[in-house]
Amino acid sequence: MKTPFEDNDIKFMRRALTLAKKGNWRTSPNPMVGAVVVKDGRIIGEGYHKKAGLPHAEVEAIMNSKESLKDATLYVTLEPCCHRDKRTPPCTDAIIEKGISRVVVAMRDPNPKVSGKGIETLKSHGIDVKEGVLEKEALKLNEFYVKYITTREPFVILKTAMTLDGKIATPKGNSKWITSEKSRKYVHIIRSRVDALLSAYGTVIHDNPLFTSRIKNGKNPLRVIIDPELKIPLNFNVYNPPPKTIAVVHSDFINQDKAKDLMKRGVELLEFSSEKVDLSWLMKELGKRDITSLLIEGGSSLNSYALWSGVVDKIMIFVAPKIIGGFNSYPVVGGKLYRDIPEAFKVNNLRIKRIGNDILIEGYIEKDLKNF
């Protein structure tokens, strides 16, 4: 049975998590963090991390406090930082200096520079530390950061839309519009949360998409387009920044004049020399550019290639109440590769919700790595 003290810990941590979400996925490559300062059962200060380079949530909450913090409790969704290898001072210094006597932490920071060290620093100064309160919720909120900081590769979401019979396009490639306007607006929200979006030349040539978020105050993702031979016409949307585009090209087959034109426009060319682009290599390259999250929006072939490359962490499948039929209609996952039933890709932690008349199915591809 919980004690009233434990109930209060949960209540105030929920508030801290709500504050963290105000970061609205704009803190990359930093995590979203919220903090609440409580004294005598009252919230006397709160804050959240707004953007990389700006004060962390703990410092924001301390600065916003309207009375002495001596013997107060700090609730924070992520372990306070203790290192100086960043643009802002260690949060542990501010906590110690203000006389806060108790700190409640949702989750440890997986960053090796911090992990456990921030908590030990606070304990060594006589501060009572409790950790693990609403840890699961905190991990889910920062799944992008956790994957990136532990692997230096982005968290990858495979998004697709299909009919009830599992089709994403007719034999002629027509896919507009399988899902409802509400679902498409929701996709724009997802785009505004990720750092980058990945697609391939086939999808781009067929649809000439913008790949932008198109929502008020929305952030547009960086566009990563696999176009080995630069087949996409120069007047297409993806090759006319902003937002910025990275073209993934084959070093032996690109048109040099076209390449020079693209670079003048600000398009970055990322070259590979293998027969096919290695998606594992590409994820490492994107990680080097501080890209913490990636949304895949492609066709059957790219969906298949991404799954078999092992780079997909999460799936988001929009299912519309429609049936196309047709042996030659495009399935969600195409290609020649397949797995027998016992070895099929398994999806864990399923969530299903209605969006208008459509259904959104979310889940995590089972891997050796921890899924959230």
Side-chain angles (χ1 to χ4, degrees), residues 273-288:
S273 58
S274 53
E275 183 180 351
K276 278 187 171 183
V277 61
D278 182 335
L279 291 185
S280 295
W281 162 82
L282 181 57
M283 295 307 110
K284 290 180 175 63
E285 288 296 320
L286 297 179
K288 291 175 185 176

Side-chain angles (χ1 to χ4, degrees), residues 29-266:
N30 289 355
M32 292 185 291
V33 184
V36 174
V37 182
V38 175
K39 192 170 184 179
D40 300 325
R42 299 173 293 113
I43 294 177
I44 62 171
E46 55 184 33
Y48 67 96
H49 185 43
K50 297 180 175 68
K51 186 180 178 182
L54 295 181
H56 289 187
E58 302 94 314
V59 173
E60 283 274 328
I62 288 170
M63 290 191 301
N64 292 333
S65 296
K66 308 202 184 310
E67 56 188 89
S68 170
L69 275 66
K70 183 171 174 56
D71 295 328
T73 297
L74 171 71
Y75 292 85
V76 62
T77 58
L78 184 73
E79 176 183 8
C81 62
C82 57
H83 66 96
R84 300 181 185 277
D85 186 18
K86 55 188 175 62
R87 288 174 278 186
T88 54
C91 293
T92 49
D93 288 0
I95 295 168
I96 293 163
E97 179 186 333
K98 292 296 182 179
I100 291 171
S101 61
R102 183 171 182 259
V103 175
V104 181
V105 176
M107 62 173 280
R108 288 200 176 199
D109 191 336
N111 186 344
K113 294 177 180 177
V114 181
S115 189
K117 300 181 183 72
I119 289 171
E120 290 307 314
T121 298
L122 296 175
K123 287 181 176 180
S124 69
H125 284 79
I127 296 174
D128 178 32
V129 180
K130 180 177 181 179
E131 57 179 305
V133 176
L134 299 184
E135 180 182 33
K136 185 177 179 181
E137 289 86 341
L139 282 165
K140 178 70 172 63
L141 179 66
N142 277 309
E143 59 189 4
F144 297 171
Y145 171 75
V146 172
K147 167 78 181 294
Y148 169 73
I149 206 66
T150 54
T151 67
R152 290 294 166 181
E153 296 178 15
F155 184 93
V156 178
I157 302 170
L158 175 60
K159 188 278 299 180
T160 191
M162 71 176 191
T163 58
L164 284 174
D165 55 338
K167 309 298 185 182
I168 66 170
T170 67
K172 293 182 179 180
N174 183 22
S175 60
K176 290 185 177 180
W177 294 105
I178 284 178
T179 53
S180 65
E181 185 178 354
K182 281 189 177 181
S183 291
R184 298 197 296 276
K185 285 182 177 179
Y186 190 74
V187 170
H188 293 161
I189 293 172
I190 300 166
R191 287 178 183 171
S192 74
R193 292 177 176 178
V194 297
D195 290 343
L197 182 152
L198 175 68
S199 194
Y201 70 93
T203 296
V204 174
I205 288 174
H206 190 275
D207 297 333
N208 190 18
L210 287 165
F211 285 143
T212 53
S213 65
R214 301 198 287 283
I215 58 174
K216 186 178 180 180
N217 300 320
K219 174 192 74 175
N220 287 324
L222 179 151
R223 299 175 295 202
V224 182
I225 307 299
I226 301 172
D227 189 10
E229 300 179 36
L230 289 180
K231 290 183 177 179
I232 298 170
L234 290 177
N235 64 342
F236 271 42
N237 293 316
V238 295
Y239 283 157
N240 288 280
K244 182 180 176 182
T245 295
I246 296 176
V248 184
V249 301
H250 198 293
S251 55
D252 295 337
F253 300 114
I254 58 172
N255 180 308
Q256 293 300 327
D257 291 336
K258 203 170 182 180
K260 288 176 184 176
D261 194 337
L262 288 173
M263 287 188 284
K264 285 179 183 177
R265 301 179 186 196

Side-chain angles (χ1 to χ4, degrees), residues 348-363:
N348 297 327
N349 300 337
L350 279 181
R351 291 180 61 200
I352 300 173
K353 63 181 176 182
R354 288 281 297 271
I355 300 181
N357 288 328
D358 302 328
I359 295 171
L360 171 59
I361 302 172
E362 297 180 79

